[in-house]
Structure formats: structure tokens, C-alpha cells
């Protein structure tokens, strides 16, 4: 469920879509109560979220689990290793819940609340790091292309410097007929308390974008290659451009 506004996937990112992303569960086990449980795990060469590296350009291990009901309501969690720091520690854990469903013919709505949790951060000594972020997105198919547009808004919180932040994005995805290949693109703008990743005076927004390709090796195994960049000042292994390889499995 996490997207690139994950969902950092984001909302989870529809990453997610995640930007630096994980595999989407393709298989779920259902019980008599109309509840499905699915999971995913991945290794990526660089954990990129909204164009920024959260692993300092290093390999990251990621994974999550989702529980969904036929009514459209869902809850889930997703985690990743990150570059160790006093504020964030070495682990990111995202907790989320929401509702997703078709609101009219061909148009799907996804709304929910995401909580970014850093369990190893030295919250008292290094300052707060956890924060909440509500999200919403709409998805439709236009010809051979799946289109998703969304917004994530984090209200003023201590970890955001008592200022708010908004992220708006659009993602495109299209499969190549008769092949296991899917082409992806994403562009987003981050504005507010998180919109100045390099600390340039007077700046409060930046744009990120991604071009990628997925190869469905099997029904459950996906290999992804993506080019990601931002218009923020280039900082090595943080805001600079990168080619990211991800191998993910769903179950």
C-alpha cells in the first residue's frame, strides 16, 4: 500500500510507486472474513524518497505487510534501513491506514494517514523526528497508461520545525504489450518545511522526477531500474541524480 508519497512509495508515494520503491503485492491470502494479507520485501541500491537519498547512496533493505478488507479499508506497515544519524537512527518505519476504492467508473480514490516513525532516533537529545502526513490520490487509466495524481499534507509539527509541508505529484505507468516490461515516470513538488533539503537561504520548495522500467521476472519477483533527480543543489549521495536498481518480491 505504501506509495512514493511514502509513498517516502511515496504517499507511499505511489513511490509510491513508490520513487525508490518496493514490489507491489501480487498475491494475497484470504480468509472467510473477506480480509487479505500481503507482504513485500526488497533490496535497493539506494533508498530514494521524493528524489532524496535516505541511505547516503548505499544499499537499503526494505519490506512491508498490508491487511485489507473487501470494503476498501486497509492498514499496513513498511520499513527500510537508512543512513544512521542521531536524529533518525538507522531505521525508518512507516505505519499507515486508509481506504481505497472506485468512486466512479474508471476512477479510484485512495485516502489515508501515514506516520513516519524512527524508532532508533535520539528523540530527546537530537530533536524530534517522527511526524504524521495525511494523503489522498486519484487513479485512472487513459488508453494504455495508468495515471495517478496525489497530494500529501503534513501539518505543523515539532519535527517539521513547527511549519507545515505539502507534496504534490503525478505518476504514469504503462506496460509494453506482450512483454513483462512496464515503463514508469513520476514528477512531484515538495514545498514547505521539507522543501529546502540543502539549507539554501530563502528556498522552500524543490521538484523531483523519475523515469524507470520494471521487469516482472516471475509473478512475484520484480527487477526495477530507475533514474531519479531533483532541481535542488546537487549534494553527492543526497540530492544528486542517481540510477537506482531494486529487486523486490511479493507474497
Amino acid at each position: 500500500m505504501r506509495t512514493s508519497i511514502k509513498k517516502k512509495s511515496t504517499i507511499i508515494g505511489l513511490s509510491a510507486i513508490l520513487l525508490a520503491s518496493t514490489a507491489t503485492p501480487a498475491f494475497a491470502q484470504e480468509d472467510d472474513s473477506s480480509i487479505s494479507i500481503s507482504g513485500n520485501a526488497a533490496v535497493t541500491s539506494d533508498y530514494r524518497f521524493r528524489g532524496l537519498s535516505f541511505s547516503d547512496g548505499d544499499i537499503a533493505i526494505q519490506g512491508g505487510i498490508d491487511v485489507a478488507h473487501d470494503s476498501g479499508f486497509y492498514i499496513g506497515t513498511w520499513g527500510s534501513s537508512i543512513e544512521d544519524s542521531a536524529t533518525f537512527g538507522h531505521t525508518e518505519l512507516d505505519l499507515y491506514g486508509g481506504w481505497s476504492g472506485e468512486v466512479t467508473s474508471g476512477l479510484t480514490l485512495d485516502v489515508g494517514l501515514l506516520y513516519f516513525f524512527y524508532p532508533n532516533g535520539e528523540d530527546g537529545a537530537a530533536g524530534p523526528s517522527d511526524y504524521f502526513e495525511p494523503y489522498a490520490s486519484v487513479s485512472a487509466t487513459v488508453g494504455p497508461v495508468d495515471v495517478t495524481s496525489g497530494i500529501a499534507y503534513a501539518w505543523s509539527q515539532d519535527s517539521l520545525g513547527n511549519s507545515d509541508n505539502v507534496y504534490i505529484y503525478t505518476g504514469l505507468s504503462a506496460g509494453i504489450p506482450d512483454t513483462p516490461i512496464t515503463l514508469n515516470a513520476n514528477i512531484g513538488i515538495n514545498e514547505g518545511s521539507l522543501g529546502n533539503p540543502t539549507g539554501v537561504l530563502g528556498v522552500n520548495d524543490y521538484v523531483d522526477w523519475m523515469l524507470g522500467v520494471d521487469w516482472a521476472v516471475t509473478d512475484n519477483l520484480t527487477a526495477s531500474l530507475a533514474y531519479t533527480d531533483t532541481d535542488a543543489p546537487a549534494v553527492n549521495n543526497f540530492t544528486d541524480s542517481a540510477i537506482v536498481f531494486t529487486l523486490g518480491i511479493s507474497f
Side-chain angles (χ1 to χ4, degrees), residues 66-86:
D66 297 297
V67 179
H69 189 267
D70 282 353
S71 63
F73 288 99
Y74 63 85
I75 58 173
T77 183
W78 183 92
S80 178
S81 58
I82 60 176
E83 174 67 10
D84 198 6
S85 68

Side-chain angles (χ1 to χ4, degrees), residues 23-29 37-42 63-66 220 249-251:
T24 301
F27 174 80
Q29 295 180 335
I37 301 175
S38 57
N40 61 83
I65 188 168
D66 297 297
N220 303 100
I249 187 169
S250 58
F251 50 90

Side-chain angles (χ1 to χ4, degrees), residues 26-247:
F27 174 80
Q29 295 180 335
E30 296 189 3
D31 59 24
D32 293 337
S33 61
S34 300
I35 292 177
S36 62
I37 301 175
S38 57
N40 61 83
V43 57
T44 184
S45 63
D46 188 359
Y47 171 22
R48 291 272 170 160
F49 176 62
R50 298 174 186 172
L52 308 180
S53 176
F54 278 63
S55 60
D56 194 34
D58 293 332
I59 291 174
I61 306 299
Q62 305 173 332
I65 188 168
D66 297 297
V67 179
H69 189 267
D70 282 353
S71 63
F73 288 99
Y74 63 85
I75 58 173
T77 183
W78 183 92
S80 178
S81 58
I82 60 176
E83 174 67 10
D84 198 6
S85 68
T87 300
F88 299 104
H90 54 69
T91 303
E92 175 189 326
L93 183 63
D94 302 339
L95 309 174
Y96 50 86
W99 179 88
S100 179
E102 192 173 58
V103 292
T104 188
S105 180
L107 188 68
T108 298
L109 174 67
D110 185 7
V111 294
L113 177 65
L114 178 62
Y115 177 51
F116 294 97
F117 177 49
Y118 301 91
N120 307 119
E122 299 175 14
D123 209 37
S129 54
D130 308 340
Y131 65 97
F132 290 91
E133 187 179 73
Y135 59 85
S137 68
V138 291
S139 302
T141 300
V142 181
V145 180
D146 295 328
V147 182
T148 299
S149 292
I151 183 171
Y153 175 75
W155 66 85
S156 175
Q157 297 164 62
D158 288 345
S159 59
L160 302 180
N162 293 311
S163 182
D164 61 357
N165 190 79
V166 62
Y167 182 72
I168 301 173
Y169 73 95
T170 294
L172 308 175
S173 180
I176 299 177
D178 302 318
T179 75
I181 304 299
T182 300
L183 304 178
N184 306 298
N186 190 84
I187 187 168
I189 181 169
N190 207 26
E191 183 172 0
S193 58
L194 302 176
N196 185 7
T198 59
V200 177
L201 186 63
V203 173
N204 70 344
D205 65 78
Y206 74 93
V207 176
D208 71 271
W209 56 91
M210 180 274 294
L211 296 173
V213 58
D214 296 339
W215 173 36
V217 183
T218 69
D219 288 344
N220 303 100
L221 184 66
T222 301
S224 303
L225 191 66
Y227 171 83
T228 180
D229 201 359
T230 76
D231 69 347
V235 175
N236 189 41
N237 292 330
F238 183 44
T239 59
D240 57 336
S241 62
I243 295 177
V244 179
F245 175 74
T246 303
L247 187 65

